[in-house]
Amino acid sequence: MASSLKPDSKGVGSSKLPSSSSPASASGMSSEPAESASGSGNDKKKKKSSTKTAKSEGSEGSFDFFDGMVGSDGAENGLVYLNAKWDPDDLSDGDMMSPPSPACVRRIKNDILAIYSDPPPGLCVMPDPHNITKIHGLLTGPFDTPYEGGFFYFLIRFPHDYPISPPRVRLMTTGNGTVRFNPNLYKSGKVCLSILGTWAGPSWSPAQTLSTVLISIQSLMNEKPYHNEPGYKHERTPGDSKNYNDIIMHETIRVAVCDMIDGATRMHMPDTLRAVMESSFPDYYKYYVQVCESHLHLDGQPMNDPFGDSRPTFNFRQLMKWLKTIKARLSDNKTDYSDSDEERTPGQGASNKGCRDCRQDDNLSLEGGAHGKNISGASAEGHSSNTSDGSEGPGGGNSNTS
Amino acid sequence: MEGWTGVATWKWIANDDNCGICRMAFDGCCPDCKLPGDDCPLVWGQCSHVFHMHCIVKWLQSQSTNSPCPMCRQEWKWKAG
């Protein structure tokens, strides 16, 4: 994933929206378009409030975000947003539990194929083998940002009436719920993005796709994430922004690199995505070490988070050791992945390589038709798609991320 | 010649190939229909964006207050005629 890739988009929707999702029961593979099944979107579910989310948001301090952003009538809207469902694993409402309509399934497959046929830089997706409405996504931190070289794993669930309602997205790379990577990426995994309905601003539109959602999230990971926080357009204390970047760089290597590679199994990450990380790691290794070496002077100091989040103490020396251990282990296991002997240039091609892997896994299913419910098909099954009519384009031009 | 059978083709005149909502081709129908044609018509907004009628109606019905065009976010207004 590393490759070329700097997302050129920037600053997309500024808000956060919760989405909900849940592992659906539905095997999600219904095939024939049935005229009856149209999931008409209803917004009522979105407004339903769940105490659970409200609470967790409160603890994230999101109420502060609204200060100075919205006026008093905005506050009411704010509450609606705050109560919006965002968690892909939240089973408490029917949105996620009802089986997706055939139209929804076709649209999801279309979205996935569009990514396979024209993979955006640093972005890789993998449908769940058992449930087409559940997608595993891996974003690589963009170049020239404090997220560079990090592996950010997302779980995405499509509601039964997608694309009328937005997908629900959760960041899984949070160091077990302890690290907030960005003013918009909470430690709970909530992604604050207006197009997802988790924040104020341009809201979801059914012209958005899986690809535009992921690119929007990628654009949150920018050069100076400090300023993503509403009300922090200017530094409150000189040096805040750089200080925040140092923290994010440390945490990226600690949590989004080392802990991701060591903890992929714990997170139930699909093997394909794990392979992408492991094959990208050597490309970035030099960069990781460079970051550590140039920040050794910070070791022992507490990370003073400008937003008051509690953080550990800088320890780049220990990160270097951890990186070295991982590198040694990966090179021992090299033969595990068929492409491990390919020559790599730093920062090049890793991500696309990974996506190529994904595609290889399911190329069969892309030919269409096979909607089998047999779980035996393991990885291929999730991709079965009957898009053989091939009419759908990559859906480029239509995204109006805002 | 004993007889002949006329054949004709038709095409929607749209400024894009795919519906921005369902992403299916305009030459085909929306995912809820089986046959393209009069039963699954295309409709235009005043903003000039075009969708399968079934798709845009689903979207408009899901919106409680304002109903933006999915492509340009302007308020959706049906284009007459």
Side-chain angles (χ1 to χ4, degrees), chain A residues 90 98 168 189 228 262 270 278 324 329:
Chain A
D90 182 355
S98 3
R168 303 186 185 189
N228 284 24
D262 276 359
E278 294 184 358
K324 208 174 281 180
R329 181 166 51 85

Side-chain angles (χ1 to χ4, degrees), chain A residues 343-400:
Chain A
E343 196 178 319
R344 297 186 192 99
T345 11
Q348 251 241 312
S351 69
N352 288 333
K353 189 186 340 172
C355 290
R356 211 204 307 144
D357 291 345
C358 298
R359 275 174 285 162
Q360 280 164 358
D361 274 2
D362 26 276
N363 51 8
L364 287 183
S365 49
L366 303 187
E367 315 286 337
H371 289 289
K373 298 210 168 133
N374 55 326
I375 309 287
S376 55
S379 75
E381 199 221 355
H383 300 286
S384 57
S385 57
N386 60 343
T387 37
S388 48
D389 38 53
S391 45
E392 40 284 273
N398 292 329
S399 60
N400 49 345

Side-chain angles (χ1 to χ4, degrees), chain A residues 67-336:
Chain A
D67 288 349
M69 259 197 104
V70 282
S72 51
D73 19 298
E76 200 179 334
N77 290 331
L79 284 177
V80 172
Y81 287 116
L82 286 172
N83 290 328
K85 302 258 184 179
W86 62 273
D87 185 355
D89 292 320
D90 182 355
L91 299 179
S92 70
D93 67 330
D95 284 11
M96 293 300 176
M97 297 304 283
S98 3
S101 69
C104 165
V105 173
R106 289 186 84 159
R107 177 56 143 73
I108 294 170
K109 289 174 177 170
N110 199 325
D111 281 15
I112 295 165
L113 285 173
I115 291 183
Y116 286 170
S117 62
D118 186 16
L123 190 166
C124 202
V125 297
M126 179 79 198
D128 191 88
H130 308 297
N131 183 347
I132 186 79
T133 68
K134 179 173 175 179
I135 307 287
H136 304 264
L138 189 66
L139 292 183
T140 307
F143 283 159
D144 296 331
T145 73
Y147 304 94
E148 180 167 348
F151 305 111
F152 298 87
Y153 169 39
F154 291 85
L155 207 54
I156 299 125
R157 284 293 306 272
F158 293 100
H160 67 87
D161 59 350
Y162 180 78
I164 301 301
S165 298
R168 303 186 185 189
V169 180
R170 170 191 280 260
L171 173 62
M172 305 301 285
T173 305
T174 58
N176 254 333
T178 59
V179 177
R180 181 172 179 174
F181 270 105
N182 184 293
N184 304 73
L185 300 172
Y186 289 2
K187 51 174 88 159
S188 61
K190 180 175 172 178
V191 177
C192 291
L193 192 62
S194 67
I195 56 165
L196 293 177
T198 41
W199 193 244
S203 56
W204 173 253
S205 141
Q208 303 270 6
T209 64
L210 177 60
S211 171
T212 63
V213 166
L214 290 172
I215 291 173
S216 301
I217 294 173
Q218 202 176 33
S219 73
L220 297 172
M221 300 188 227
N222 55 34
E223 298 90 333
K224 294 180 176 175
Y226 171 87
H227 301 291
N228 284 24
E229 178 78 13
Y232 286 73
K233 190 176 172 196
H234 303 289
E235 286 185 319
R236 300 221 167 161
T237 311
D240 267 359
S241 177
K242 171 164 190 314
N243 175 33
Y244 191 66
N245 278 8
D246 289 340
I247 294 173
I248 298 302
M249 273 194 250
H250 185 280
E251 297 300 76
T252 292
I253 294 179
R254 185 175 72 91
V255 174
V257 178
C258 296
D259 187 52
M260 282 304 288
I261 289 185
D262 276 359
T265 316
R266 181 187 78 220
M267 280 177 255
H268 305 293
M269 199 171 178
D271 286 348
T272 319
L273 296 186
R274 205 184 64 194
V276 171
M277 294 194 301
E278 294 184 358
S279 70
S280 301
F281 180 89
D283 299 343
Y284 281 111
Y285 185 75
K286 258 191 193 160
Y287 166 79
Y288 299 145
V289 171
Q290 221 170 31
V291 169
C292 293
E293 282 173 343
S294 60
H295 288 82
L296 286 174
H297 61 281
L298 295 174
D299 277 9
Q301 295 181 27
M303 298 180 188
N304 288 320
D305 185 280
F307 309 114
D309 232 6
S310 77
R311 303 272 190 182
T313 301
F314 285 110
N315 197 339
F316 284 102
R317 200 170 302 273
Q318 194 185 351
L319 290 185
M320 282 170 74
K321 280 189 203 149
W322 197 354
L323 288 164
K324 208 174 281 180
T325 311
I326 292 174
K327 187 185 177 216
R329 181 166 51 85
L330 292 183
S331 55
D332 286 349
N333 298 341
K334 215 172 187 175
T335 48
D336 282 2

Side-chain angles (χ1 to χ4, degrees), chain B residues 3-7:
Chain B
W4 57 279
T5 306
V7 176

